[in-house]
Amino acid sequence: APPPSRPSVPPRATIEIDTFRAFTTAAVLFEAGVDRIVLTADLDEARGTAAELGALLCGEEGGIKPDDFDLGNSPAEASTRQDLAGSTVVMRTSAGTRSVLAALENGASPVYAASLVVAAATADRVGEADALTIVSAGLNGTKRSEEDDLTADNIEDELAGGADPDATAVLVATCDRAVTLSGSSWAHEDDVGVATDVDRFDFAMEAVQRQGRVELVVLPPSA
């Protein structure tokens, strides 16, 4: 006899959060005029994809920008670049890019990449979803991180109509991970400041599959 059929489960909307720093950096890259951000899981894939597309490389390994990458995973660095308009960027980070790719591979849809700088816009996009999963990418995708959990709380509060962006900004800017990042030798001194500029942008970012690759696309404010 054939196995019993299983009821179909509709895809579940998912928000993947990486506030320090991948999806803050991505949002700033779009602000700087980048046309296309392609997400990859590992360094060799990023290098190969960038070579094929004639793209810039952005990201980190262990927090540190590889020597052959054009940009680190730094929103502050991205905000100072004046040569990004119209470019394609291939991005690889230890937690954020990999968490989005994993969500898509597991059937989530739609999948949004979020951080504090796009928190309200992302909440607006998922406000009518029948079911929602919010994932904190955390540290290397394996350990919880306070800044991502606080961002998740902020988005949940936005959905409930009771967010306090100023209070969230203070909590994230003073959490242990913020102190560690600010005191590191490999992070830009202004990364935490940019990452805690809550709702700096009015767009959300969705991860979509195009021609065998995963890209982030900007979603303007919903009507």
Side-chain angles (χ1 to χ4, degrees):
S5 61
R6 295 181 179 181
S8 61
V9 178
R12 191 179 183 96
T14 299
I15 299 173
E16 295 284 345
I17 297 172
D18 191 334
T19 292
F20 290 163
R21 298 165 285 167
F23 300 141
T24 304
T25 299
V28 173
L29 288 172
F30 280 128
E31 178 193 37
V34 166
D35 279 347
R36 186 181 181 194
I37 298 178
V38 179
L39 304 184
T40 56
D42 61 60
L43 296 177
D44 287 340
E45 179 191 0
R47 292 179 177 113
T49 302
E52 184 178 344
L53 298 177
L56 300 174
L57 278 165
C58 172
E60 49 77 26
E61 174 68 16
I64 301 170
K65 178 177 79 71
D67 290 340
D68 60 335
F69 274 42
D70 302 283
L71 292 153
N73 184 28
S74 168
E77 178 190 359
S79 69
T80 64
R81 291 284 293 261
Q82 304 296 317
D83 58 346
L84 299 177
S87 62
T88 295
V89 171
V90 174
M91 189 177 201
R92 185 274 175 189
T93 67
S94 299
T97 65
R98 296 163 75 184
S99 69
V100 163
L101 295 171
L104 289 169
E105 288 170 3
N106 284 303
S109 180
V111 175
Y112 300 95
S115 61
L116 278 180
V117 296
V118 294
T122 305
D124 183 57
R125 279 283 165 178
V126 301
E128 311 236 342
D130 293 330
L132 174 65
T133 299
I134 301 178
V135 179
S136 298
L139 185 61
N140 295 322
T142 59
K143 297 180 181 179
R144 295 186 67 170
S145 59
E146 191 175 2
E147 75 279 3
D148 289 346
D149 289 345
L150 288 166
T151 301
D153 291 343
N154 179 267
I155 291 174
E156 290 177 355
D157 290 343
E158 282 283 355
L159 291 169
D164 188 342
D166 292 338
T168 298
V170 171
L171 289 172
V172 174
T174 56
C175 72
D176 288 345
R177 281 266 292 140
V179 173
T180 298
L181 194 64
S182 296
S184 71
S185 60
W186 41 262
H188 194 290
E189 62 183 1
D190 295 329
D191 278 346
V192 170
V194 177
T196 54
D197 188 2
V198 185
D199 300 331
R200 172 170 173 166
F201 305 117
D202 64 357
F203 58 79
M205 299 181 293
E206 183 180 354
V208 299
Q209 295 181 325
R210 289 179 175 170
Q211 299 177 334
R213 297 188 177 92
V214 174
E215 302 181 20
L216 291 183
V217 297
V218 169
L219 302 176
S222 57

